[in-house]
Amino acid sequence: MTLGPMLEPVFHEDSYGYRPGKSALDAVGKARQRCWRYDWVLDLDIKGFFDNIPHELLMKAVRKHTDCKWTLLYIERWLKVPVQQRDGRLTDREKGTPQGAVISPLLANLFLHYCMDEWLRINYPDCPFERYADDCVLHCLTEQQAQQLREDLKARLKACGLEMHPEKTKIVYCRDEDRRKTYPNMSFDFLGYTFRSRKSRNKQGKHFTGFLPAVGDKAKKAIRERVRAWKLTGRSGSSLSRLAEEINPVLKGWINYYGHFYKSELQEVLGYLNLVLKSWARQKYKKLRGHKVRASDWLGRVAKAVPNLFAHWQLGVRP
C-alpha cells in the first residue's frame, strides 16, 4: 500500500535553490511555516498533467542536461511508443509520459522546472512555493497578488501545453487567531494533509487558533478502507500477535507520515482499528460472542498488559 507520496520532490527554499533528497514531509513543514507569514495561498491543480506534457518541449528540457545521443534516442522512443488498447488496436502517443515507469516522474519534474519553477523565480520572486511532483501551493501576501498570479500562471501553463484546472485551482485565505476575515475558501489539501484553522496550544500552554496541517479527509477514508480490506474479523484462526506482526509495518508508515503534524487527528482515525479488533475477538472466542462490552474489556486488558503489541497502541490509541 502507498503510505505517502512516492515521487521525488522538487522542493524550493526561499532562495529557490534545489534541495534534492527532501521528503514530502519537508514540503508540508515548509508550507506550514509559510502559511503563518503569508495570508493567501494559490492551490494549483494542473489538469491531466502526466497525460498532456508536450514531447517536443520535454525533449528540449532533457537536452539542457545531456547531449548523449543514445540517451536522447531512447527517451524519445519511450515517450512515443504506441499504446495497445484492449481490443488490440495501437494508438499513437503524441504527448504525455507513460504511467508506472520510474523515469516518468523524473522527466515530469524536469519539465515543470523549466515550464513553471524558473518562470516563477523570474516573474514572481516574492511568491515562494512548495512543489512535490505536480502538487503545488504558492504563497501570496494579498488576494490581488494571488488573483494576478493565477491569471499569469494560467497563461504560462497554456503556452507550455498544459491547462490549469478551472475548478480545482483555488485561492485560499489562511484564517487563524490574528487573521479573522471570512472567505469562500479557507482550507486546502497538500500531499495528503489538509491545511485549515485548528485549535492548538503553544509552549506556555496557552490555547490559540492556528492555520495548521493534519491528515486529510481523503487519507482518512483510504486508511479506513485499507483496514476493512484486511478482513480481520474473518481471521479468527490467527492470533492477535500474528495480526500485529502483519499490519504493524503499515501502521508505522501511517504514523510516521500522517502523524508528523497534528497527531490527534490521526489518532482518531486509528481508533477505528480497535473497533475492528473487538469484532475479531468476538468471532474468535465463544465467551465473547454477542458481548460487545465484554470484548472491549478483554481487548483493554490485553492492551494494558502488552501496550507495544500494535503500533497504534504505542501511540496511545488503546481500547
Side-chain angles (χ1 to χ4, degrees):
M1 177 185 176
T2 301
L3 303 181
M6 300 299 290
L7 303 183
E8 285 300 315
V10 175
F11 174 54
H12 292 259
E13 293 282 9
D14 288 322
S15 63
Y16 288 86
Y18 277 117
R19 296 292 302 276
K22 286 290 184 178
S23 71
L25 285 176
D26 291 306
V28 174
K30 181 58 67 172
R32 172 173 169 263
Q33 294 175 7
R34 285 172 173 162
C35 283
W36 298 339
R37 305 199 306 266
Y38 294 81
D39 292 359
W40 299 88
V41 160
L42 176 62
D43 181 18
L44 174 66
D45 187 278
I46 302 175
K47 190 174 182 179
F49 171 61
F50 286 96
D51 295 329
N52 291 294
I53 299 176
H55 291 169
E56 182 179 351
L57 291 180
L58 176 55
M59 290 306 301
K60 184 178 179 180
V62 174
R63 290 188 183 96
K64 283 184 171 289
H65 295 268
T66 181
D67 58 358
C68 176
K69 63 179 182 179
W70 296 112
T71 300
L72 296 172
L73 174 65
Y74 284 122
I75 289 177
E76 192 162 16
R77 283 183 176 179
W78 174 78
L79 286 172
K80 295 182 177 180
V81 64
V83 179
Q84 186 172 19
Q85 306 295 335
R86 291 185 177 182
D87 59 5
R89 290 183 298 108
L90 293 178
T91 303
D92 291 335
R93 187 190 300 273
E94 299 178 352
K95 58 183 179 179
T97 59
Q99 296 293 310
V102 175
I103 196 175
S104 183
L106 174 63
L107 293 176
N109 271 328
L110 185 63
F111 179 80
L112 270 186
H113 170 67
Y114 291 106
C115 168
M116 187 175 73
D117 301 347
E118 285 296 288
W119 180 87
L120 286 168
R121 181 183 63 83
I122 295 170
N123 294 279
Y124 282 88
D126 56 343
C127 292
F129 65 95
E130 299 81 40
R131 179 172 72 77
Y132 199 99
D134 63 328
D135 200 352
C136 180
V137 292
L138 306 98
H139 304 270
C140 301
L141 291 171
T142 66
E143 181 185 4
Q144 291 72 25
Q145 186 182 49
Q147 291 172 341
Q148 187 63 53
L149 174 57
R150 180 177 58 185
E151 294 307 310
D152 292 346
L153 185 54
K154 178 180 178 181
R156 172 60 180 175
L157 292 174
K158 185 176 180 180
C160 295
L162 300 177
E163 180 183 359
M164 179 184 290
H165 199 292
E167 285 83 32
K168 294 182 179 180
T169 298
K170 59 184 180 179
I171 294 174
V172 178
Y173 179 60
C174 303
R175 193 174 192 272
D176 62 12
E177 188 85 8
D178 300 317
R179 299 172 291 193
R180 301 190 177 188
K181 295 191 298 185
T182 58
Y183 195 74
N185 300 314
M186 293 190 291
S187 68
F188 66 89
D189 290 340
F190 182 54
L191 300 177
Y193 277 83
T194 294
F195 286 69
R196 63 172 176 82
S197 298
R198 302 179 190 277
K199 294 294 183 181
S200 189
R201 187 171 58 183
N202 61 23
K203 294 180 179 180
Q204 290 73 37
K206 181 181 178 181
H207 291 272
F208 68 98
T209 300
F211 194 82
L212 302 168
V215 56
D217 290 339
K218 291 181 180 179
K220 291 178 182 179
K221 181 179 178 181
I223 289 173
R224 292 190 182 96
E225 289 178 349
R226 180 60 171 171
V227 172
R228 285 194 291 269
W230 287 334
K231 299 180 179 179
L232 298 182
T233 54
R235 297 190 54 184
S236 56
S238 299
S239 65
L240 200 59
S241 59
R242 176 61 179 170
L243 296 181
E245 181 182 347
E246 292 182 11
I247 69 177
N248 269 341
V250 179
L251 294 177
K252 290 176 181 177
W254 287 335
I255 292 169
N256 290 338
Y257 186 76
Y258 294 114
H260 195 79
F261 300 103
Y262 216 86
K263 191 175 294 183
S264 59
E265 284 285 320
L266 179 64
Q267 291 174 325
E268 180 182 341
V269 180
L270 293 180
Y272 173 70
L273 177 55
N274 288 333
L275 298 178
V276 175
L277 291 175
K278 292 173 186 178
S279 297
W280 170 86
R282 293 200 303 271
Q283 291 293 324
K284 184 174 180 65
Y285 301 108
K286 291 183 179 180
K287 64 179 181 179
L288 299 180
R289 289 177 185 173
H291 299 280
K292 292 185 178 181
V293 175
R294 192 179 298 176
S296 180
D297 291 342
W298 176 85
L299 191 63
R301 291 194 297 271
V302 173
K304 186 176 181 179
V306 195
N308 295 329
L309 182 59
F310 286 93
H312 69 300
W313 288 1
Q314 299 177 37
L315 192 67
V317 187
R318 298 173 188 169

